[in-house]
Amino acid sequence: MVLTPSTMLPLGSALPAFSLPIATGTGPGATHLSSGELPQQPLLLMLLCSHCPFVNHIEAELSRLDLDYGDRVSLVAVASNSWITHPEDGPEALARQAQANGWRFPYGIDQEQTLAKALRAACTPEFYLFSPPVSPPDQTTVASAAPQILRYRGQLDGSRPGNGLPVTGSDLRSALQAVLAGGTPGADQQASIGCNIKWHPGQEPPWFSGSA
């Protein structure tokens, strides 16, 4: 692996449109998830995979986030790692991971890696919190039609495998609370750090440097 930090997509960026097949979640028989079908409430995109030790380190906290916020925030996991180089991140492994952790949120498969590139994603895990734009009361219709805006990107908290800090989700939880209260998270946001996203060979984005 290459230890990689977030690129820190600019705050205020619009949510990229996406339509992804899913490994699990969104109810019996569901096979796809589209950004256009999401409710008008905050959206948390979580770039994950099944084998990364940085992801495995925080799985229990993701389960707690699901329980604590899943009724007020749309949680969506996204797996973008290449199956060409890392077949262990295929849909069966993702489904087993979700089932083992009791995750209720959908696990989208970004095998074309288009969503990861639109987010300038760099590592697993990585978190992107979007929310609808705030507008005056007489402009509700306009606001509901506008794309969601990036409010937070970066780390779950300061815990990493081996550093001895407890996994609390403090950074992300603070951002979620701010957005749910109608506010905006502070701009002093810390980059997530984890395993580099495993790009398809020869299709690495300009911000990636190193060997997978």
Side-chain angles (χ1 to χ4, degrees):
M1 72 177 182
V2 176
L3 193 62
T4 305
S6 304
T7 64
M8 305 300 276
L9 183 70
L11 295 172
S13 297
L15 171 68
F18 62 85
S19 180
L20 302 175
I22 58 173
T24 184
T26 72
T31 59
H32 279 78
L33 177 69
S34 170
S35 55
E37 299 170 349
L38 295 171
Q40 278 293 305
Q41 64 183 21
L43 166 66
L44 177 62
L45 294 178
M46 305 174 288
L47 273 289
L48 307 176
C49 68
S50 64
H51 86 280
C52 170
F54 287 84
V55 174
N56 300 153
H57 180 65
I58 64 168
E59 286 175 340
E61 176 60 16
L62 298 184
S63 301
R64 291 188 287 269
L65 286 170
D66 187 18
L67 292 174
D68 293 344
Y69 295 99
D71 60 339
R72 295 171 289 164
V73 177
S74 299
L75 277 66
V76 176
V78 179
S80 299
N81 277 0
S82 172
W83 301 344
I84 297 171
T85 59
H86 289 75
E88 63 268 36
D89 284 330
E92 295 83 4
L94 302 179
R96 287 194 299 269
Q97 179 190 23
Q99 182 177 16
N101 288 285
W103 293 343
R104 302 174 301 173
F105 48 79
Y107 212 146
I109 301 171
D110 180 33
Q111 195 53 196
E112 299 298 320
Q113 303 186 321
T114 52
L115 181 55
K117 289 180 177 178
L119 294 169
R120 292 184 60 86
C123 61
T124 54
E126 195 161 5
F127 302 91
Y128 300 84
L129 176 59
F130 294 84
S131 70
V134 177
S135 66
D138 60 344
Q139 295 184 14
T140 304
T141 302
V142 175
S144 64
Q148 298 216 43
I149 301 301
L150 182 64
R151 309 296 185 183
Y152 177 85
R153 74 286 191 251
Q155 67 179 11
L156 178 75
D157 58 32
S159 182
R160 307 284 186 266
N163 74 357
L165 296 177
V167 180
T168 64
S170 57
D171 291 55
L172 183 54
R173 284 176 177 271
S174 293
L176 286 163
Q177 288 298 123
V179 165
L180 288 170
T184 302
D188 184 17
Q189 301 176 7
Q190 303 303 308
S192 186
I193 296 175
C195 301
N196 63 289
I197 288 180
K198 306 307 188 285
W199 304 103
H200 295 315
Q203 299 181 34
E204 298 86 355
W207 59 88
F208 174 73
S209 61
S211 300

